[in-house]
């Protein structure tokens, strides 16, 4: 039996309405929760995870905004999103944009047919994870639901979607390229 996985990328408080939150991120929370509830397959999550010395890291020097510090409120996955999954879901804590652990986990799955990514931020962690997964599993269909993603800006969201298309990632539910969703 073919297997389908939904990877929910970094739907954490700091990226929604915390340290690095945006109105676009806030706008997709309900879409993401609905997609999780409706998904027929396994749901997994990633969680951006940093330590107290974040500002001394390469990322911290380029983005000097402490965020997703382990065990803080901002690090937590938004309750509406985590509770949308009916079963206990696997969570991959990641110190970098892409999760090699997630890709390795997916590679071990028998009969994996597709991986769909949703979450934040389209232009950083969603694209990074899509390309890592594509590198580990070049024959598995990798999709991104545009209406369940938001970028740092609407323009960078659109640019990331276009870049992923060039790398043979299927982009679905594009509504005028904004990443916003209307029922």
């Amino acid at each position: 039996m073919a297997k389908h996985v939904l990877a929910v990328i970094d739907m954490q408080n700091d990226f929604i309405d915390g340290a690095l939150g945006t109105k676009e991120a806030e706008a997709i929370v309900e879409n993401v929760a609905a997609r999780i509830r409706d998904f027929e397959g396994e749901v997994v999550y990633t969680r951006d995870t940093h330590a107290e010395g974040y500002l001394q890291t390469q990322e911290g020097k380029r983005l000097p905004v402490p965020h997703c510090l382990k065990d803080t409120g901002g690090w937590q996955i938004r309750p509406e999103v985590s509770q949308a999954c009916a079963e206990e879901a696997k969570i991959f804590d990641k110190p970098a944009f892409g999760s090699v652990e997630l890709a390795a986990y997916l590679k071990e799955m028998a009969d994996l047919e597709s991986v769909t990514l949703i979450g934040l931020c389209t232009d950083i962690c969603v694209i990074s994870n899509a390309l890592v997964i594509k590198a580990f599993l070049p024959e598995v269909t990798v999709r991104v639901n545009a209406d369940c993603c938001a970028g740092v800006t609407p323009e960078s969201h659109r640019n990331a979607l276009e870049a992923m298309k060039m790398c043979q990632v299927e982009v679905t539910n594009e509504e005028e390229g904004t990443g916003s969703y209307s029922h």
Side-chain angles (χ1 to χ4, degrees):
M1 183 167 166
K3 206 162 187 187
H4 303 278
V5 173
L6 179 66
V8 182
I9 308 298
D10 297 358
M11 284 298 295
Q12 296 162 266
N13 293 318
D14 271 347
F15 292 130
I16 297 169
D17 58 7
L20 295 172
T22 65
K23 63 182 174 29
E24 292 84 8
E26 290 181 50
I28 69 163
V29 171
E30 277 308 309
N31 300 340
V32 168
R35 181 72 176 114
I36 294 166
R37 285 190 296 273
D38 295 343
F39 190 75
E40 294 184 21
E42 183 177 352
V43 177
V44 298
Y45 294 84
T46 67
R47 189 166 45 195
D48 195 45
T49 302
H50 299 294
E52 287 301 323
Y54 169 76
L55 291 174
Q56 283 67 54
T57 67
Q58 186 173 356
E59 179 184 332
K61 290 174 183 171
R62 290 183 164 94
L63 179 63
V65 178
H67 64 280
C68 298
L69 299 176
K70 188 172 182 163
D71 297 326
T72 65
W75 175 72
Q76 300 297 327
I77 295 171
R78 180 56 58 107
E80 302 98 285
V81 172
S82 63
Q83 294 166 6
C85 189
E87 300 172 7
E88 184 79 21
K90 188 155 183 55
I91 299 174
F92 295 90
D93 289 336
K94 57 184 191 59
F97 300 142
S99 175
V100 174
E101 284 183 329
L102 169 60
Y105 174 77
L106 295 170
K107 189 170 182 165
E108 294 302 315
M109 287 185 171
D111 301 320
L112 181 62
E113 186 176 306
S114 71
V115 179
T116 302
L117 291 90
I118 60 177
L120 301 169
C121 291
T122 319
D123 44 340
I124 302 172
C125 292
V126 174
I127 191 172
S128 295
N129 281 286
L131 296 179
V132 169
I133 292 166
K134 199 71 179 154
F136 270 63
L137 298 159
E139 297 304 318
V140 169
T141 300
V142 178
R143 292 186 185 95
V144 171
N145 277 140
D147 61 358
C148 291
C149 292
V152 174
T153 67
E155 180 183 25
S156 63
H157 167 79
R158 287 188 297 274
N159 289 341
L161 294 175
E162 291 305 313
M164 286 186 276
K165 288 178 192 176
M166 295 302 295
C167 295
Q168 301 177 0
V169 172
E170 293 180 12
V171 176
T172 62
N173 298 358
E174 249 183 304
E175 305 249 342
E176 300 176 17
T178 64
S180 61
Y181 180 83
S182 55
H183 295 278

